[in-house]
Structure formats: structure tokens, C-alpha cells
Amino acid sequence: MSSVQSFLRLGVDVGGTNTDAVLLDLSEGSRRGQVLASAKHPTTADVTLGIQNAIQSVLTQVQTTSDIQAVCIGTTHFVNALVERDPRRLDRVAVIRLCGPFTHGTPPFVGFPHELRHLLEGPHFLLSGGLQIDGSEIAPVIAAQVEDACDQIKRQGIHAVVVSSVFAPIDFEIQQEETVAAIVRKHIPGMDVVCSKDVAAIGLLERENASILNAALLRYAKKTVIGFEKAAQALELKCPVFITSNDGTLLSCAQAARLPIRTFSSGPTNSMRGAAFLASLESGISKQSALVVDIGGTTTDIGMLLPSGFPRQAAAHHEFCGVLLNFSMPHVTSIGLGGGSIIREDLITKKVTVGPDSVGHRITSESLVFGGSTLTATDVIVAAGHASNIGDKSLVAEVGPSIIEGAQSAIKKMLQNYLDIMKTSSQDIPVYLVGGGSILAPDFLAGISQVHRFPHFDVANAVGAAIAQISGIVDSFEDTSTTPIAQVRADVEAKAIARAIASGADPHRVAVVESEVIPIAYTTGRCRFYVKAAGDWSGVASPTWTETDDLLRMEASTGEAVPRSQSVTSATAVAAPAMRTASDILEYEPKIEGREWLLSEVDLEWIADGCYVLGCGGGGSPLHTFLELRELVRSGETIRVIDFSSVSSNARVGWGGGMGSPEVSSERLLGNELAAELWSLMGILKPEALCALEIGGANGMINMILGSTKYSDIPCIDGDFMGRAYPTWHQTTANVYDVSGKGVKMLPSVISSGDGNIMTMTKAKRDIDVDALLRAACVEMGTHVGMASCPLNVDYVDIAMIKNTVSLSWRIGRAIALARKQSSLSRIGSILVDAVGGSRSAKVLFMGKITDVRRRVYKGHTIGEIVINALSLDDDVDDDLDHPMERFIGKITIPFKNENLYAEHTADDGRTTMVATVPDLIAVLDAQNGAALGTPQYKYGLRVLVLGITAAPQWTETERGIALGGPSGFGYVFTHIPYEPLGQYTQPRSVIEEYAHNG
């Protein structure tokens, strides 16, 4: 009788407190999933030593190691090097960006925190190259430019280079990044080169940032993975060593040495994947969505597990070490709850609190049950009789019932609140508890169908490492104009499967685990496709795993530390004023010279936050515009804002902004689209002042770039022509007072692609045709253009412009900053209402939790609606603050078409009331940090605040203003909704007027 061949995996996961290891039997049949041995060892300062100790403990429990197929390690080596800002483990990085005339205002490192930028920044080069969204070249690669850059890089002793190209992730044929990488390697033998397309997806700055962090770690990564292999050899293991990645798949040592950034969040992923595997071994549990709760000694990580057995991924952009990134990471929420969390009882109120501080790894010496003197969450659970096998129960005999009940109630409430935030719908779903601290969790939780603790739950993270698979990913823009989307999706899925197989996945056990089609706003006939396929390792090494191993060993054994010299870029020389406390914010005064406001970094940050609030869900994030403006200020340029009263009586005021798809503007960042020469092309003299097309979103700040001393040195007026954001150009107050209905005040208009294509429109049959026709041309010009309209005379601007909206955005941003510093986010609503003019002109319309989100793209616009339900008393995560959130009842529904259109309240008895409609402003803010939310960021579970602000009279005092900017301006679906003013408009106070100090 033939025996079944054993298929054993040794999984290791490094945590903040413990390093866990398991030996798992993955053979087919009844033995599959059996944990043959497990071990926990304290995580050591030398992480490799802790790994070796844990593996050794496992091996002593088994008779032979010959059947172990692989060692799979989840490690914190690389993430720790960045968190600790260790110059011994990090190298300076040079960046070659292929962008043609675009992106020059936002150079590499522009979004890095000062200290990390100082540590990592090498020279950067903005060279010919890059692609448009349709895959055509912006410009070809010029080899001579690259070779000149290599000479400069070589002279500075740089060891790592990043090559990043505009739209590199869709460059399958021209392969610009690969071409430049080959030139660099030929010109500088031995140079580490990272192509951005190998690291992350669409989003130029975020992908480039991730590539820089990755490149900075390369030399340390090589030494580390060689250390892993040597440790395995020392333990007489003859199997390959793998490193687990952020998405639950395996990297060979050679792959991890090239892409260490892919390991940054492998710990939470391993826990979730391990929980899914342990669940699959239980009878009666089918593949389903579930929440995984990993409770450790100090913190609790909560993540959503998809039916595929993989974790839900984080939003497209996320932050790490203060740097915005967009590579694949699991969506995890961490809270200060663990076995070592310190328990306190207020002597007066008798209220019991849990954490967030913790004794951490010192629990065995400081917790009461172990003879210490600190009351911890573990002590409470032991005292309650739920963990008699931990410590000495007699040592917690004097812990009173009020403390036990209060602590357990607080723990339950913390878990329920954050579990609900992580859910994607109101439906009850199961929870899988893992981690050594899981004894803290109760057996019943609101909104949870069942709480599960599976065998070996305390080492689920190591189980997740052991079962990691091989993946293949495709993220691309595809033409859907002639082929059905379903067929294109099938073709992309086939490519992903082929990539997984090529990387070593078993062809018979590979499947698509993620497949998403993302429409592109303002564009038809093209969609973005993201597909991931994964499968078990075939047991055969892929050629790409070992082709560089010898080179890794050679490089890891040579080379001295890179000398730390000052970066050639001077942009970090000027730091922003420190805003450490609420007093700093209140005492800050903008710089006013004469009647001109000279913007600082602080001003720009507050204006950007305010502009996004005034975007009312649309307008696009001002982030990239803010970064470019901040870079200008840091390099010594001046940006001037003036009151309307400072504009001369015979002046002409230029106005315009950006038009196009956010998907393009996030990748092909601003170039020369808004050059001042646009006005000269129309035969008009340079305008004497600039005014924003719309204050809401990125367009609220875009004219400040053009007006800076670097470009045209034209002051920007404190005002705009929307007072908010609207989706189309004819919805401007400049058009409201043009009764011709033919867009006379909007024409002539010019749009520029930024790389040589310029188009002028001189006449239109109807005002609505101006936006429609220019937007059609915009698609042919790369789907993002700069737009300028005929300058207006001062008399007309005086009537049409909404005044002091730059000041308004500044005040909103300051209010948000103040609430954060005062820890008064529960009062953010009242602080904002005061900032925008008081309760007569603004109000908090609702506070609650998003319980439903629906959206789709129709004729280039994102349309949909959100439903926000009031929080119950048990829901409120902020009720322990001094000023609890205002209570609301019922629910509110907010439809949107790029921007929020109206807010309708439904009472508990079913009665409905329209509480606000456009043109009044309806903004949705994250109640936990005060940040504005754009409609793409709406998701189930978010605690939000809905702010209403009365619109300016330019919209509300005439029938034409209501027709253009009110509900009927958004199509026949909304014509039945009448406009009722939210309140009485209050003109924002001018910052210049307040801080001019009598001139």
C-alpha cells in the first residue's frame, strides 16, 4: 500500500512581542492542515536570532526535517529600518523620472517628511519620456540625457536609482523604464536600479515614493535575506526559504531582496490568511467574508477577510512613515487594546478605561497575575474566571466587580465600534479571533453573527506564513470601445493567471482572486482593469527566483556605507513654522505686506484642507497642487493674494483652471498647461490679476501656481466664480449674469494639453455646449488640459465673483487643524460653523455612520448616493470626551453627481424632510479626523459629519442662478426639488483685512 507523500511547510511570523513558528502538514487528504509543532519566542533586537530560535524550537519537536518543502518567513526587518530612520540600513536614492514637459512642479521627494527626505534624497532628473493614458508616448527616451544623469549619479557615490515614468504601469510595449534601467546598468556597473512599475500601480508620486523607499533598502535587504538562508543552513534545512508579502503571497529570497517594500505589512496579512485557513478546516464553515481580530499584547489589528481567503486591500493611497504610497497592503485598523493594556478607574466618576497604554512584553513581570503591580486587561479576564490557566488567580482576588464589569464593557464596546467601521455592509458577519490576547474578546458582539476561536488561533500568523501562495497581478488601462468589457476582463484575467504560473504557481491550482473594472471619469471607451491570480506553489523554483542569487551574495559581502552628504536639492532648506499646539495655531498670523497676503506653507496647508471641504465631495483632491505650491515657497518663490478692493479699476482679471479626468491628473501631474501665454494667444494683454474658476477642490489653488513669481508674478484675487465646486464650466457665477445664454463671458476659451496642442473656441450656440465640446477635445488631448477663459473687466467681476473664498478656505482649514490639536473632534461641527460665519449661515446637518454607498459613472460623471444613519448611544466612539457629539435620529440620504446635490432626512417614523439642496454647500467630513471626503472616498462604516453652508447670493438671488446651480441644473431627475435656503449668507471675512494691522 503506497503512502501519501508528506508536504510540510515551516511558517514563521515576527511580531512586536513574540516570534511564532509552526510546522504545518499541507499534504492532500485527512492530514491536511495538521499543526505538527509550534513555538513562541520573544522577538529579539536581532530579529534574525529570534527567527532562528523559534525555528529551532519547532524542529526539536519533530523527528526529521527531510519532508519540509519550504520555510516561509514573515519579517519586520525592512519596515523597522524605515520606522527607526536608521542610516546604517538606508541608502540615498537618485531618481530618473521620464515625464517630458509634465510633473516638473512636483519633483521626487516632494511629499516626504523633512527628516526622511534629508536622509534619502539624492539627485533627481526630469527627462524626456512618459506615456499618455492611451499608451502613446508623451516623448521618446533620449539616451544621451540618461547617460548625462548617470555621470552625475556616479560622481555622488549613489548606490540606488529609481526609474519612474508617467503611466509606466500600462507600458507593455515601448518599455521606457526598462530601456532606461538598461542604460543605467551599462553606464554604472553594479548599480541597483528599481523600475517603478515593478513596485506599485497607477499614481505617479505615490508609486515613485514607494519605489524610493524600496531602493533605499536594497543593500540591507540583500544582506538580510542571505542571513535567512544561512540560518536555515545552520539548522540543516535543505529546502528553499521564502519571504511572505503584503498580499499573502510568497517572494523568493531574490525577489524579496529586490522588492523589500512588499513585506511591510505581511504580519497582519499572515494573521488573516492563517485565520481563513484554520476556518477552512472546520466543518460547517464555508468560504465567506469575515472579520479577523488579532489581539496581541499591546494592540489589536482588525481586517476584513474576503471569500477568496485573502484580505481586503487598503484604499488606493495610504500613508507610511509620513509618505503617501499606493502599493498593495491589507486594509487594517489598529486600536490600543491588548493583553497588557492598563486598566484604570476614575476615583470620582468610577468610570473604567482600558489603555491605550500597555505594559507590552513586560506583562510577565508587571501584570498582577504574574506578581507585578499594574492592573492589566489580562488581570481582569483572569479575575472574571475566563482564563484560569494564566498566572496566579489568587493575586487578582481583590479586583472588584465594578472594575471587572466596567473593563469588560469597555473592551466589548471598543471591539464593536471598530468592527462595525471595518464592515462593508450592515449585514451580520462572523469574527475569527486570533492572537494570544484573544481571551479578551467576549463570545457575543453586536453586528456579529458568530465569534470563532479555532484550534491554534494563537499562532494563526505563522500558519498564514506557511500557507502563502504565488501570485500574478495585472493593472492596466484597456480599450473597451470595440470589445465588450466582459471579454476584455477575461483577457486580462488570463494574463494574470499566466503571470502567476510563470512565477511558480501550480497551473492546476491557480485562480483569479481579485478582478475589478474601474471606469475612467470623463472618458468613454477605456477602463482600468485590476486582476490578481494566485495559487499554491508548484514545488518547482521559477527561473527568476535564482537567477540573481549569486549576484546577491557577491553584493551583500562588499561595499562600505554610503557617505552622508547634503542632497543637491535645496528644497528642504526652509521648514514650515511649527504648529505643535492649539496655542501655536491661534497665535499664528499670516504675512501681510501692504494689502498683499504672502502665502506660507501653513497658509497653503490650511487653504488646501478648506478647498477640499468646499469641493462638496467633488473638485478632486488639492494634494498635488498643494505639494507643488509648497515646493515653490520652500525654494523662495512668492505667491500673492489680494482683496478685490486692491484691483485697479481698468484691470482685466484672468480666470481658468484644470479640466479632465482625476485618473490622468494623478499620474500625469501638472506641466505647462496653464502657462500665462494662453491669454496672449487670444490677442489679449497679460491679465493684472487671476481668479479661481472654482474654490472647491484642486482648482481652488491651481491659479496660485501660475501667479507665483516663478511663472508670471500675477496676484490671485481672494475669490472665485463658484464658491464651491460644480461638475461643468457653465455652472459658474460668471455665466449666471450672462443672460445671452450663449456663454459670451466664457469665450473665447483656450485649452492646452501642455505638450504642444492648443485649441481655441470662440463661439457657441448654447452655454452648455462650451463645456461639452471642450471636454470632448480634452479627451483627444490626453484627458487633462489647462483651461483659460477670456479675462473679465473689473466691473463684471465685482458683480459675478464670490468674494473672500480663499480666506474662507483658510479659516476652514485652520478650524480643522485647531480641532485636531485640541482633541476636540467631537466639537468639529461647532468649530467649523463658527469658522464659516456662525449658525445663521451654516449648520451641522447630521452626524452618523455611512450605511450604504452606491455609485456609477454616467457620461463621464460619477453619480450615486450615500445613506447615513444616526449613531446609537452604544455606537459613539467619542462619548468619553468632554463634549460628546450632538445626537441625531433617523437617517439622511445624499445623492451626488461628482458633488453632493441634496440632503434628505428620514425620521424614524418614515417622514422625510429636505434639509439642504444645491446651490447651498453640502460637505461630508470624516468625524474622526476632520478631513473632507470626496465622493470616491465614501465607504460603509465611516463616521461622518455633514456640514451645510448657505450659498452666496450670486447663486440664489436670480432665477438664472437657481436654474444653473440648483437641483434642476443637474438634470430632469431633480427638477421636482425646490430650492429652500439653508440660512442667511454671511460674506467671509478677509484674512487681509483682519491681519493687515492698519496697513
Side-chain angles (χ1 to χ4, degrees), residues 558-843:
T558 61
E560 298 298 325
V562 181
R564 295 287 158 189
S565 60
Q566 183 65 36
S567 167
V568 296
T569 303
S570 61
T572 59
V574 180
M579 290 287 148
R580 296 186 178 92
T581 66
S583 295
D584 291 334
I585 294 171
L586 292 171
E587 292 171 5
Y588 172 78
E589 292 194 3
K591 185 177 182 180
I592 311 296
E593 291 187 354
R595 298 293 296 178
E596 292 186 336
W597 177 9
L598 309 183
L599 299 183
S600 69
E601 288 186 43
V602 172
D603 297 329
L604 290 169
E605 182 177 347
W606 292 351
I607 291 169
D609 284 345
C611 283
Y612 209 16
V613 172
L614 296 174
C616 301
S621 169
L623 174 63
H624 292 153
T625 310
F626 158 71
L627 290 175
E628 182 166 349
L629 288 164
R630 187 179 69 178
E631 199 72 359
L632 288 171
V633 170
R634 287 181 173 182
S635 61
E637 303 295 343
T638 300
I639 302 162
R640 298 180 291 148
V641 174
I642 61 173
D643 280 338
F644 177 75
S645 60
S646 297
V647 182
S648 62
S649 60
N650 60 350
R652 302 278 286 177
V653 177
W655 61 300
M659 169 187 277
S661 168
E663 285 81 0
V664 174
S665 58
S666 70
E667 179 72 32
R668 200 196 73 186
L669 307 181
L670 282 177
N672 300 315
E673 297 97 316
L674 286 172
E677 286 76 13
L678 289 179
W679 283 285
S680 66
L681 287 170
M682 295 186 290
I684 299 169
L685 294 176
K686 175 179 171 181
E688 295 182 29
L690 300 175
C691 183
L693 167 71
E694 57 185 340
I695 194 65
N699 270 338
M701 303 179 78
I702 204 166
N703 279 294
M704 295 176 182
I705 298 172
L706 178 60
S708 70
T709 51
K710 180 176 180 178
Y711 295 104
S712 62
D713 195 18
I714 302 175
C716 296
I717 301 177
D718 189 354
D720 77 300
F721 291 105
M722 288 188 187
R724 46 168 300 142
Y726 273 115
T728 59
W729 200 356
H730 61 269
Q731 291 175 302
T732 63
T733 52
N735 189 40
V736 167
Y737 292 93
D738 175 10
V739 295
S740 72
K742 297 182 179 181
V744 172
K745 295 298 182 181
M746 302 159 65
L747 299 171
S749 292
V750 176
I751 58 174
S752 167
S753 66
D755 62 351
N757 294 318
I758 296 175
M759 192 184 83
T760 304
M761 184 174 182
T762 58
K763 190 175 181 180
K765 183 169 64 176
R766 301 173 301 171
D767 55 3
I768 62 174
D769 294 333
V770 178
D771 182 87
L773 295 173
L774 290 179
R775 204 170 289 280
C778 168
V779 172
E780 296 300 318
M781 296 167 71
T783 322
H784 193 272
V785 296
M787 174 179 61
S789 193
C790 178
L792 302 170
N793 63 52
V794 168
D795 290 341
Y796 193 79
V797 172
D798 189 18
I799 297 170
M801 187 185 76
I802 302 172
K803 298 179 177 65
N804 300 340
T805 52
V806 176
S807 291
L808 176 61
S809 63
W810 183 88
R811 295 184 188 281
I812 292 172
R814 185 178 67 164
I816 293 171
L818 187 62
R820 290 169 178 167
K821 290 296 182 183
Q822 291 179 328
S823 299
S824 299
L825 285 170
S826 59
R827 297 182 56 245
I828 183 68
S830 60
I831 294 173
L832 282 170
V833 167
D834 290 343
V836 300
S839 58
R840 293 180 62 190
S841 59
K843 64 176 65 176

Side-chain angles (χ1 to χ4, degrees), residues 236-271:
E236 299 183 355
L237 292 171
K238 297 179 171 56
C239 56
V241 176
F242 295 97
I243 314 298
T244 61
S245 68
N246 302 321
D247 65 355
T249 57
L250 292 172
L251 300 171
S252 70
C253 281
Q255 289 173 322
R258 289 193 298 270
L259 294 167
I261 198 168
R262 290 193 179 176
T263 71
F264 279 14
S265 195
S266 60
T269 300
N270 287 340
S271 293

Side-chain angles (χ1 to χ4, degrees), residues 3 44 107 127 146 199 299 438 444 712 758 776 830 838 855 871 895 902 978:
S3 59
T44 54
L127 307 183
V146 180
V199 176
T299 61
S438 294
F444 299 97
S712 62
I758 296 175
S830 60
R855 61 167 65 88
L871 296 173
Y902 64 80

Side-chain angles (χ1 to χ4, degrees), residues 128-150:
S128 177
L131 270 63
Q132 302 282 13
I133 191 172
D134 62 0
S136 62
E137 284 188 314
I138 293 172
V141 170
I142 300 175
Q145 289 184 352
V146 180
E147 291 166 356
D148 288 344
C150 288

Side-chain angles (χ1 to χ4, degrees), residues 850 852-856 863-867 893-897 900 902 904 938:
I850 296 178
D852 193 17
V853 183
R854 303 167 195 165
R855 61 167 65 88
R856 63 191 177 96
I863 63 174
E865 69 176 23
I866 56 170
V867 177
T893 302
I894 304 177
F896 53 85
K897 179 182 178 182
N900 303 318
Y902 64 80
E904 184 177 50
Y938 294 164

Side-chain angles (χ1 to χ4, degrees), residues 441-486:
D443 292 330
F444 299 97
L445 292 163
I448 301 303
S449 59
Q450 188 171 354
V451 176
H452 295 275
R453 292 180 182 85
F454 303 116
H456 307 293
F457 68 87
D458 56 332
V459 288
N461 49 358
V463 171
I467 64 163
Q469 297 180 314
I470 304 294
S471 70
I473 296 174
V474 176
D475 185 352
S476 65
F477 290 89
E478 303 289 341
D479 186 350
T480 57
S481 60
T482 57
T483 307
I485 289 178

Side-chain angles (χ1 to χ4, degrees), residues 934-949:
T935 56
Q937 297 165 305
Y938 294 164
K939 63 180 180 180
Y940 175 89
L942 281 179
R943 266 61 171 174
V944 296
L945 174 150
V946 183
L947 178 69
I949 305 173

Side-chain angles (χ1 to χ4, degrees), residues 325-556:
L325 308 170
N326 70 339
F327 63 90
S328 179
M329 289 182 72
H331 181 204
V332 174
T333 291
S334 296
I335 59 176
L337 171 64
S341 294
I342 297 174
I343 307 297
R344 297 181 178 87
E345 182 182 39
D346 188 282
L347 295 177
I348 299 175
T349 65
K350 300 301 180 181
K351 182 177 182 179
V352 179
T353 59
V354 180
D357 49 343
S358 169
V359 298
H361 65 273
R362 301 186 307 277
I363 189 171
T364 54
S365 60
E366 297 189 14
S367 186
L368 295 183
V369 292
F370 293 108
S373 59
T374 304
L375 179 63
T376 68
T378 298
D379 295 323
V380 167
I381 297 304
V382 173
H386 298 319
S388 58
N389 60 331
I390 296 177
D392 184 349
K393 184 177 180 179
S394 66
L395 297 176
V396 292
E398 295 185 5
V399 178
S402 63
I403 293 180
I404 294 173
E405 293 172 6
Q408 288 182 308
S409 174
I411 290 170
K412 182 176 183 178
K413 188 173 182 180
M414 289 172 70
L415 289 172
Q416 287 180 164
N417 285 335
Y418 284 96
L419 287 169
D420 196 56
I421 289 172
M422 291 297 292
K423 288 167 64 177
T424 56
S425 73
S426 58
Q427 182 180 355
D428 288 359
I429 61 173
V431 156
Y432 300 160
L433 290 174
V434 298
S438 294
I439 56 170
L440 302 184
D443 292 330
F444 299 97
L445 292 163
I448 301 303
S449 59
Q450 188 171 354
V451 176
H452 295 275
R453 292 180 182 85
F454 303 116
H456 307 293
F457 68 87
D458 56 332
V459 288
N461 49 358
V463 171
I467 64 163
Q469 297 180 314
I470 304 294
S471 70
I473 296 174
V474 176
D475 185 352
S476 65
F477 290 89
E478 303 289 341
D479 186 350
T480 57
S481 60
T482 57
T483 307
I485 289 178
Q487 181 59 54
V488 177
R489 173 183 242 164
D491 294 342
V492 175
E493 290 176 349
K495 290 179 184 178
I497 290 172
R499 287 190 179 184
I501 294 171
S503 296
D506 184 342
H508 304 293
R509 303 180 69 175
V510 65
V512 172
V513 295
E514 287 185 54
S515 183
E516 188 175 8
V517 181
I518 307 164
I520 303 171
Y522 304 114
T523 303
T524 58
R526 292 188 75 80
C527 288
R528 180 180 173 186
F529 291 80
Y530 177 86
V531 177
K532 180 169 81 173
D536 291 337
W537 178 40
S538 65
V540 179
S542 165
T544 59
W545 291 358
T546 56
E547 62 187 6
T548 58
D549 281 355
D550 291 338
L551 179 61
L552 292 180
R553 290 181 174 82
M554 180 181 69
E555 292 180 351

